[in-house]
Amino acid sequence: MGGTERDFVNEAFDTNWVAPLGPNVNGFEKDLEAYQGQVTHVAALSSGTAAIHLALIQAGVGPGDEVLCQSFTFCGSSNPILYLGATPILVDSEPDTWNICPDALEQAYKDRVKQGKTPKALLAVHLYGMPYKVDAVHAFAKANNLKVIEDSAEALGSTYKNRKCGTFGDYGILSFNGNKIITTSGGGAMVCHTKEAKDRTVFLATQARDAAPHYQHSQVGFNYRMSNISAGIGRGQMQVLDKHIELRRAMNTFYQNIFKNVDGVTVQVEQNDDYFSNHWLSAILVDPEKTGGLTREDLRLAFEADNIESRPLWKPMHMQPLYEKYPYYGDDRTCEDLFEKGLCLPSGSNLTDADRERIKAVVVKTFDS
Ligand SMILES: *Cc1c(COP(=O)(O)O)cnc(C)c1O
């Protein structure tokens, strides 16, 4: 927490705005719109997963439809496809950004069309804060009339060619879950490009109540709006967002330095100046063929022995029991390789110099560097 969150929450109590609407919700949305830039209309929601669910609905996805989806992601990206009875078509990543591979995407799309099942939408993810190949992915989507749901849950503050992630897709998704770069304890948002899309999102998120003095409903709605208490935390957090990004990026630089002279370990970094990652999590790849046999699991266990938490990269969806039966495209199997070799390292905005010393000591001991 930054410090001012409590002031906004106290104000909500003092004015009795304890509800899923109120001045903090409106204020947080305005803050996010200003931060994202472009012409955006933001709807604050109960979670990032809820935002993806509502985005898919607005993209016209329903039972039996197919949705192209980056396989290398967290289940919050892909589960809403299943909520709708639609079919996820899982697509491999490429090694530069670890995100959706434009070639595998094209291969997947063409094959689905050949089978008479033209996909309706594309769900692409800026994983760990690293922007995906925005130009290539969006050019393909545009040429093929695919609505893009841009999962920016981990990438608030990241940019591609100086434009904020979350503003490229037809629908941009943000998350403020407890583990994200800023948090409202739990929460999310949809970044829209028209007021109509935002209004429609809020309508669906508040039980789809028709305009009438009584409760009148002609379609299924959801209870997905953000609470005014949570939004108060969010307004306070907006004041420390850029500071958090600075600290997370400093952690990435720290890891670049300590692994600089370790053969076989590479830190995930931006490939060129088009990319700016918030480095929500810093992650490495450990190649046992170059480390003399040491694996990412050896390093994870060495950290664990010293009570330091690290975690393998996201297990691709096509390798998950829940998703095994769905089609997967990608001959290179890049994301399988990432899962096998990758480790997320301590990256929190609150790590101290003493914490960094402990982390470094484990690395030095493990790699004898
Ligand atoms: C966290 C996350 C989500 C879901 O957000 P919640 O607010 O936790 O529902 C979706 N996609 C990705 C990539 C995430 O990291």
Side-chain angles (χ1 to χ4, degrees):
M1 293 293 103
T4 61
E5 293 86 354
R6 232 186 267 260
D7 299 336
F8 290 106
V9 172
N10 282 340
E11 191 181 305
F13 273 81
D14 292 344
T15 54
N16 206 24
W17 276 108
V18 183
L21 78 168
N24 282 335
V25 174
N26 300 339
F28 186 39
E29 289 176 342
K30 287 279 160 285
D31 290 349
L32 287 166
E33 285 165 3
Y35 188 81
Q36 289 299 86
Q38 313 299 316
V39 178
T40 52
H41 301 264
V42 172
L45 300 167
S46 55
S47 73
T49 309
I52 293 173
H53 189 189
L54 297 185
L56 288 165
I57 290 170
Q58 290 181 82
V61 174
D65 287 335
E66 295 199 343
V67 178
L68 296 153
C69 178
Q70 183 167 321
S71 183
F72 187 51
T73 189
F74 171 59
C75 69
S77 302
S78 50
N79 278 349
I81 301 171
L82 302 183
Y83 298 172
L84 289 164
T87 304
I89 306 298
L90 301 165
V91 180
D92 197 10
S93 290
E94 44 76 21
D96 293 344
T97 70
W98 301 1
N99 292 314
I100 194 161
C101 170
D103 296 335
L105 172 62
E106 183 170 350
Q107 184 202 350
Y109 182 82
K110 284 188 171 153
D111 190 63
R112 300 319 292 173
V113 170
K114 204 160 77 191
Q115 297 191 30
K117 297 173 181 163
T118 304
K120 274 241 172 101
L122 164 64
L123 210 155
V125 192
H126 306 294
L127 220 55
Y128 305 119
M130 184 65 71
Y132 57 76
K133 293 190 165 172
V134 171
D135 283 349
V137 170
H138 285 260
F140 183 81
K142 194 166 179 210
N144 294 287
N145 268 321
L146 284 166
K147 291 270 188 239
V148 181
I149 293 131
E150 181 193 3
D151 184 345
S152 203
E154 300 178 1
L156 181 59
S158 296
T159 63
Y160 177 79
K161 293 187 175 171
N162 290 319
R163 179 169 160 176
K164 289 270 164 55
C165 289
T167 65
F168 294 101
D170 293 281
Y171 307 96
I173 302 308
L174 304 175
S175 168
F176 314 108
N177 197 43
N179 58 342
K180 297 303 200 295
I181 196 148
I182 61 165
T183 182
T184 58
S185 74
M190 193 195 298
V191 180
C192 306
H193 296 282
T194 63
K195 185 170 178 304
E196 290 68 37
K198 179 197 163 164
D199 291 347
R200 174 100 189 123
T201 304
V202 172
F203 170 76
L204 290 171
T206 49
Q207 307 287 26
R209 193 179 162 196
D210 296 336
H214 54 277
Y215 281 87
Q216 172 84 17
H217 304 277
S218 16
Q219 57 187 294
V220 177
F222 303 86
N223 186 4
Y224 278 172
R225 197 71 163 121
M226 180 179 278
S227 142
N228 194 56
I229 304 296
S230 303
I233 303 174
R235 287 178 88 182
Q237 286 273 283
M238 286 307 286
Q239 299 175 357
V240 291
L241 171 54
D242 283 331
K243 182 80 193 158
H244 284 194
I245 293 170
E246 221 174 274
L247 291 166
R248 302 260 170 166
R249 288 179 55 82
M251 282 309 295
N252 190 268
T253 306
F254 165 76
Y255 287 118
Q256 287 181 51
N257 285 329
I258 62 172
F259 287 111
K260 200 166 44 196
N261 299 316
V262 180
D263 287 338
V265 177
T266 47
V267 180
Q268 190 199 32
V269 294
E270 293 93 337
Q271 295 300 306
N272 62 55
D273 288 347
D274 289 347
Y275 298 85
F276 177 90
S277 171
N278 66 9
H279 288 303
W280 170 61
L281 292 188
S282 282
I284 53 169
L285 296 179
V286 181
D287 183 352
E289 283 176 21
K290 295 184 189 147
T291 58
L294 265 162
T295 64
R296 76 107 202 276
E297 193 57 12
D298 294 324
L299 180 59
R300 193 186 71 77
L301 292 172
F303 276 134
E304 192 173 84
D306 201 21
N307 202 24
I308 296 171
E309 188 184 26
S310 65
R311 193 171 293 174
L313 299 189
W314 299 123
K315 182 175 183 179
M317 285 306 128
H318 73 276
M319 297 170 78
Q320 300 281 0
L322 180 62
Y323 285 88
E324 263 166 9
K325 63 172 180 278
Y326 298 109
Y328 167 73
Y329 292 86
D331 300 332
D332 297 339
R333 306 213 161 240
T334 299
C335 64
E336 293 182 14
D337 195 52
L338 292 170
F339 175 58
E340 193 184 304
K341 297 188 177 130
L343 194 65
C344 294
L345 301 173
S347 307
S349 312
N350 54 355
L351 290 168
T352 62
D353 284 341
D355 293 331
R356 278 181 282 274
E357 280 311 310
R358 278 180 57 209
I359 293 165
K360 185 173 171 182
V362 172
V363 170
V364 168
K365 201 167 84 186
T366 308
F367 291 95
D368 208 12
S369 60

